[in-house]
Amino acid sequence: MPKGREKSGRFRKVFVKTPGGDTKVHLRERKPSKAVCGTCKKPLLGVPRERPAILGKMPKTARRPERPYGGVLCSACTRKLLQQKARGESQ
Amino acid sequence: MSIYHVGKVCVKLAGRDAGKKCVVVEAVDERFVVVDGATRRKKVNVRHLEPLAQTLDIKEKASSAEVKAAFSKLGVAVKESKPRKTAERPKKQKKKAAKPVKEAKKKAPKAEKKSTAEEPAKKEAPVEKEPVKVEAAAQ
């Protein structure tokens, strides 16, 4: 009888072959959705798709691009934003 | 003359120095310029720069100290990059610690070799004796 939490769809099924030759179903946690840009909603590059527990173990430089708004905005949107700021400043 | 002449203040748009102010120090060609200032001193593509209205009075290929002085007049903080000091290698200490262990190991195999050299001689002797016993049993 599966447990209640196993029926909620929170876990993904993984078929594992045991040493005895049987195939068993293991339940593993799903990966979170891809990180997307705050403005254009395109998936961000350089941001790993991992659970917070694993992200916490990774170095900060591996978690997001090393640029302002890295991990929040995509490179194109960052460029546009900085360009607008620079143009506003020079006027 | 392109917009990106020597002394032109710009903002970097790409890379880890994005959003920081810099000044053109040298125009390499139509596409590339060397910049310095709040950013690292780097050869960059002009597509990664956004020009500002200001210009600084600096010479071509000005040193980073001259650029810093010019930027201080504008009121832009420029980070000073300290030259890195190479750390001393503690290799010699490691070797000293490892030596006595190696010597101990070397001594041990020598002793073993001697014993191995003696063993075959011992083994040969009983082999010779065995057939004699067999003959005795047959008789």
Side-chain angles (χ1 to χ4, degrees), chain A residues 66-68 75 78-91, chain B residues 11-19 21 47-54:
Chain A
E66 277 278 88
R67 92 171 93 79
S75 62
T78 310
R79 208 172 280 200
K80 274 181 196 169
L81 184 75
L82 294 173
Q83 214 167 25
Q84 283 172 5
K85 276 188 177 180
R87 284 174 187 180
E89 193 184 313
S90 61
Q91 276 175 0
Chain B
V11 173
K12 257 210 100 205
L13 301 177
R16 76 184 221 208
D17 291 330
K21 280 186 183 178
R47 288 178 69 187
H48 298 170
L49 295 174
E50 181 64 22
L52 296 177
Q54 301 143 331

Short mmCIF file of all heavy atoms in Angstrom, two decimals, chain A residues 66-68 75 78-91, chain B residues 11-19 21 47-54:
data_model
loop_
_atom_site.label_atom_id
_atom_site.label_comp_id
_atom_site.label_asym_id
_atom_site.label_seq_id
_atom_site.Cartn_x
_atom_site.Cartn_y
_atom_site.Cartn_z
N GLU A 66 28.67 35.72 -13.12
CA GLU A 66 29.37 36.71 -12.31
C GLU A 66 29.21 38.10 -12.91
O GLU A 66 30.20 38.72 -13.30
CB GLU A 66 30.87 36.35 -12.23
CG GLU A 66 31.21 35.34 -11.18
CD GLU A 66 31.35 35.94 -9.81
OE1 GLU A 66 30.36 36.06 -9.08
OE2 GLU A 66 32.48 36.34 -9.46
N ARG A 67 28.00 38.57 -13.03
CA ARG A 67 27.78 39.92 -13.57
C ARG A 67 26.61 40.52 -12.83
O ARG A 67 25.82 39.78 -12.22
CB ARG A 67 27.56 39.82 -15.08
CG ARG A 67 26.13 39.70 -15.55
CD ARG A 67 26.03 39.84 -17.02
NE ARG A 67 26.07 38.57 -17.74
CZ ARG A 67 25.03 37.74 -17.87
NH1 ARG A 67 23.88 38.01 -17.34
NH2 ARG A 67 25.16 36.61 -18.54
N PRO A 68 26.46 41.85 -12.85
CA PRO A 68 25.30 42.43 -12.18
C PRO A 68 24.01 41.84 -12.73
O PRO A 68 23.90 41.59 -13.93
CB PRO A 68 25.40 43.92 -12.47
CG PRO A 68 26.62 44.14 -13.24
CD PRO A 68 27.36 42.87 -13.36
N SER A 75 21.39 37.94 -20.22
CA SER A 75 22.47 38.85 -20.60
C SER A 75 21.94 39.99 -21.48
O SER A 75 22.35 41.14 -21.33
CB SER A 75 23.56 38.08 -21.32
OG SER A 75 23.05 37.51 -22.51
N THR A 78 20.04 42.49 -19.33
CA THR A 78 20.99 43.23 -18.49
C THR A 78 21.64 44.34 -19.30
O THR A 78 21.77 45.48 -18.85
CB THR A 78 22.08 42.29 -17.95
OG1 THR A 78 21.47 41.17 -17.37
CG2 THR A 78 22.95 42.98 -16.93
N ARG A 79 22.02 43.97 -20.53
CA ARG A 79 22.68 44.93 -21.42
C ARG A 79 21.74 46.11 -21.72
O ARG A 79 22.15 47.27 -21.66
CB ARG A 79 23.05 44.21 -22.71
CG ARG A 79 24.24 44.79 -23.40
CD ARG A 79 24.65 43.91 -24.55
NE ARG A 79 25.43 42.76 -24.11
CZ ARG A 79 26.22 42.06 -24.91
NH1 ARG A 79 26.33 42.39 -26.17
NH2 ARG A 79 26.90 41.04 -24.45
N LYS A 80 20.49 45.79 -21.99
CA LYS A 80 19.52 46.85 -22.29
C LYS A 80 19.33 47.77 -21.10
O LYS A 80 19.30 49.00 -21.22
CB LYS A 80 18.16 46.23 -22.65
CG LYS A 80 18.03 45.84 -24.09
CD LYS A 80 16.65 45.25 -24.35
CE LYS A 80 16.61 44.51 -25.66
NZ LYS A 80 15.39 43.72 -25.81
N LEU A 81 19.21 47.15 -19.91
CA LEU A 81 18.97 47.92 -18.69
C LEU A 81 20.14 48.87 -18.41
O LEU A 81 19.94 50.06 -18.11
CB LEU A 81 18.77 46.96 -17.51
CG LEU A 81 18.42 47.60 -16.18
CD1 LEU A 81 16.97 48.07 -16.18
CD2 LEU A 81 18.63 46.61 -15.04
N LEU A 82 21.37 48.32 -18.52
CA LEU A 82 22.55 49.14 -18.24
C LEU A 82 22.70 50.25 -19.27
O LEU A 82 23.11 51.37 -18.94
CB LEU A 82 23.81 48.27 -18.23
CG LEU A 82 23.90 47.23 -17.10
CD1 LEU A 82 25.10 46.33 -17.30
CD2 LEU A 82 23.96 47.90 -15.74
N GLN A 83 22.33 49.94 -20.52
CA GLN A 83 22.38 50.95 -21.58
C GLN A 83 21.42 52.09 -21.28
O GLN A 83 21.78 53.27 -21.39
CB GLN A 83 21.99 50.27 -22.90
CG GLN A 83 22.71 50.80 -24.10
CD GLN A 83 22.53 49.90 -25.30
OE1 GLN A 83 21.55 49.16 -25.38
NE2 GLN A 83 23.44 49.94 -26.22
N GLN A 84 20.21 51.74 -20.86
CA GLN A 84 19.21 52.76 -20.53
C GLN A 84 19.68 53.64 -19.37
O GLN A 84 19.55 54.86 -19.40
CB GLN A 84 17.87 52.09 -20.14
CG GLN A 84 17.09 51.59 -21.32
CD GLN A 84 15.89 50.78 -20.91
OE1 GLN A 84 15.58 50.67 -19.73
NE2 GLN A 84 15.21 50.20 -21.90
N LYS A 85 20.29 52.97 -18.36
CA LYS A 85 20.78 53.71 -17.20
C LYS A 85 21.88 54.69 -17.61
O LYS A 85 21.90 55.84 -17.20
CB LYS A 85 21.35 52.74 -16.16
CG LYS A 85 20.30 52.15 -15.24
CD LYS A 85 21.00 51.38 -14.14
CE LYS A 85 19.99 50.83 -13.16
NZ LYS A 85 20.64 50.09 -12.08
N ALA A 86 22.80 54.20 -18.47
CA ALA A 86 23.93 55.03 -18.91
C ALA A 86 23.41 56.22 -19.72
O ALA A 86 23.90 57.36 -19.57
CB ALA A 86 24.87 54.19 -19.74
N ARG A 87 22.42 55.97 -20.56
CA ARG A 87 21.87 57.06 -21.40
C ARG A 87 21.14 58.07 -20.56
O ARG A 87 21.21 59.27 -20.81
CB ARG A 87 20.95 56.48 -22.47
CG ARG A 87 21.77 55.83 -23.58
CD ARG A 87 20.93 55.12 -24.60
NE ARG A 87 21.78 54.40 -25.52
CZ ARG A 87 21.35 53.68 -26.53
NH1 ARG A 87 20.06 53.53 -26.75
NH2 ARG A 87 22.20 53.06 -27.33
N GLY A 88 20.43 57.60 -19.52
CA GLY A 88 19.75 58.52 -18.61
C GLY A 88 20.73 59.37 -17.83
O GLY A 88 20.48 60.56 -17.58
N GLU A 89 21.88 58.77 -17.51
CA GLU A 89 22.88 59.48 -16.72
C GLU A 89 23.57 60.57 -17.52
O GLU A 89 23.83 61.65 -17.05
CB GLU A 89 23.94 58.48 -16.24
CG GLU A 89 24.87 59.01 -15.17
CD GLU A 89 25.94 58.00 -14.83
OE1 GLU A 89 25.58 56.81 -14.64
OE2 GLU A 89 27.13 58.38 -14.77
N SER A 90 23.82 60.25 -18.83
CA SER A 90 24.59 61.19 -19.65
C SER A 90 23.75 62.38 -20.09
O SER A 90 24.29 63.38 -20.56
CB SER A 90 25.16 60.47 -20.87
OG SER A 90 24.11 59.95 -21.65
N GLN A 91 22.42 62.29 -19.96
CA GLN A 91 21.57 63.42 -20.41
C GLN A 91 21.52 64.53 -19.38
O GLN A 91 21.77 64.34 -18.24
CB GLN A 91 20.15 62.91 -20.66
CG GLN A 91 20.01 62.31 -22.04
CD GLN A 91 18.64 61.70 -22.26
OE1 GLN A 91 17.78 61.73 -21.37
NE2 GLN A 91 18.42 61.14 -23.43
N VAL B 11 30.52 53.11 -20.21
CA VAL B 11 30.02 52.14 -19.24
C VAL B 11 30.12 50.77 -19.89
O VAL B 11 29.74 50.61 -21.06
CB VAL B 11 28.56 52.43 -18.84
CG1 VAL B 11 28.00 51.31 -17.97
CG2 VAL B 11 28.46 53.75 -18.11
N LYS B 12 30.63 49.82 -19.13
CA LYS B 12 30.71 48.46 -19.68
C LYS B 12 29.35 47.77 -19.56
O LYS B 12 28.68 47.89 -18.54
CB LYS B 12 31.78 47.65 -18.96
CG LYS B 12 33.03 47.54 -19.80
CD LYS B 12 33.83 46.32 -19.60
CE LYS B 12 33.53 45.34 -20.70
NZ LYS B 12 33.79 43.97 -20.31
N LEU B 13 28.95 47.09 -20.61
CA LEU B 13 27.62 46.46 -20.64
C LEU B 13 27.68 44.95 -20.45
O LEU B 13 26.69 44.35 -20.07
CB LEU B 13 26.92 46.76 -21.98
CG LEU B 13 26.70 48.22 -22.33
CD1 LEU B 13 26.06 48.31 -23.70
CD2 LEU B 13 25.82 48.91 -21.31
N ALA B 14 28.81 44.34 -20.76
CA ALA B 14 28.90 42.88 -20.71
C ALA B 14 30.00 42.45 -19.76
O ALA B 14 30.92 43.20 -19.46
CB ALA B 14 29.17 42.33 -22.11
N GLY B 15 29.85 41.23 -19.29
CA GLY B 15 30.89 40.63 -18.45
C GLY B 15 30.78 41.01 -16.99
O GLY B 15 29.82 41.67 -16.58
N ARG B 16 31.75 40.58 -16.21
CA ARG B 16 31.68 40.79 -14.77
C ARG B 16 31.92 42.24 -14.38
O ARG B 16 31.66 42.63 -13.25
CB ARG B 16 32.62 39.84 -14.04
CG ARG B 16 34.07 40.20 -14.08
CD ARG B 16 34.87 39.11 -13.41
NE ARG B 16 35.93 39.69 -12.60
CZ ARG B 16 37.08 39.07 -12.34
NH1 ARG B 16 37.31 37.88 -12.79
NH2 ARG B 16 38.00 39.66 -11.61
N ASP B 17 32.46 43.06 -15.31
CA ASP B 17 32.64 44.47 -15.04
C ASP B 17 31.45 45.30 -15.55
O ASP B 17 31.53 46.53 -15.60
CB ASP B 17 33.93 44.98 -15.71
CG ASP B 17 35.17 44.42 -15.04
OD1 ASP B 17 35.11 44.17 -13.83
OD2 ASP B 17 36.20 44.23 -15.72
N ALA B 18 30.37 44.63 -15.94
CA ALA B 18 29.20 45.33 -16.49
C ALA B 18 28.66 46.35 -15.50
O ALA B 18 28.63 46.10 -14.29
CB ALA B 18 28.11 44.33 -16.85
N GLY B 19 28.28 47.52 -16.01
CA GLY B 19 27.73 48.57 -15.16
C GLY B 19 28.80 49.47 -14.55
O GLY B 19 28.47 50.43 -13.86
N LYS B 21 32.17 52.09 -14.76
CA LYS B 21 32.66 53.13 -15.68
C LYS B 21 34.11 52.88 -16.05
O LYS B 21 34.90 52.39 -15.22
CB LYS B 21 32.53 54.50 -15.01
CG LYS B 21 31.12 55.06 -15.08
CD LYS B 21 31.07 56.47 -14.53
CE LYS B 21 29.64 56.97 -14.55
NZ LYS B 21 29.55 58.33 -13.99
N ARG B 47 31.28 46.96 -28.96
CA ARG B 47 29.87 46.59 -28.79
C ARG B 47 29.53 46.33 -27.32
O ARG B 47 28.37 46.29 -26.96
CB ARG B 47 29.55 45.34 -29.62
CG ARG B 47 29.51 45.64 -31.10
CD ARG B 47 29.25 44.38 -31.87
NE ARG B 47 27.90 43.90 -31.63
CZ ARG B 47 27.44 42.73 -32.07
NH1 ARG B 47 28.23 41.94 -32.74
NH2 ARG B 47 26.21 42.35 -31.83
N HIS B 48 30.54 46.13 -26.50
CA HIS B 48 30.32 45.92 -25.07
C HIS B 48 30.39 47.22 -24.29
O HIS B 48 30.42 47.21 -23.06
CB HIS B 48 31.36 44.93 -24.51
CG HIS B 48 31.27 43.57 -25.14
ND1 HIS B 48 32.23 42.61 -24.95
CD2 HIS B 48 30.33 43.03 -25.95
CE1 HIS B 48 31.88 41.52 -25.61
NE2 HIS B 48 30.74 41.75 -26.24
N LEU B 49 30.46 48.35 -24.98
CA LEU B 49 30.59 49.66 -24.31
C LEU B 49 29.40 50.55 -24.67
O LEU B 49 28.83 50.43 -25.75
CB LEU B 49 31.89 50.36 -24.74
CG LEU B 49 33.20 49.70 -24.33
CD1 LEU B 49 34.36 50.46 -24.96
CD2 LEU B 49 33.37 49.67 -22.83
N GLU B 50 29.06 51.42 -23.74
CA GLU B 50 28.07 52.46 -24.00
C GLU B 50 28.73 53.80 -23.68
O GLU B 50 29.14 54.03 -22.54
CB GLU B 50 26.84 52.24 -23.10
CG GLU B 50 25.73 53.25 -23.29
CD GLU B 50 25.09 53.21 -24.69
OE1 GLU B 50 25.19 52.18 -25.35
OE2 GLU B 50 24.51 54.23 -25.09
N PRO B 51 28.89 54.66 -24.68
CA PRO B 51 29.62 55.92 -24.42
C PRO B 51 28.80 56.88 -23.57
O PRO B 51 27.57 56.95 -23.68
CB PRO B 51 29.86 56.49 -25.82
CG PRO B 51 28.79 55.88 -26.65
CD PRO B 51 28.48 54.54 -26.06
N LEU B 52 29.47 57.63 -22.71
CA LEU B 52 28.84 58.69 -21.93
C LEU B 52 29.26 60.03 -22.53
O LEU B 52 30.13 60.09 -23.40
CB LEU B 52 29.26 58.60 -20.46
CG LEU B 52 28.84 57.34 -19.70
CD1 LEU B 52 29.39 57.38 -18.28
CD2 LEU B 52 27.33 57.20 -19.65
N ALA B 53 28.66 61.10 -22.04
CA ALA B 53 28.94 62.43 -22.59
C ALA B 53 30.33 62.93 -22.17
O ALA B 53 30.93 63.75 -22.86
CB ALA B 53 27.86 63.41 -22.14
N GLN B 54 30.82 62.41 -21.02
CA GLN B 54 32.07 62.96 -20.49
C GLN B 54 33.29 62.45 -21.26
O GLN B 54 33.28 61.36 -21.82
CB GLN B 54 32.23 62.55 -19.02
CG GLN B 54 31.10 63.04 -18.15
CD GLN B 54 30.73 62.04 -17.07
OE1 GLN B 54 30.89 60.84 -17.24
NE2 GLN B 54 30.26 62.56 -15.97
#
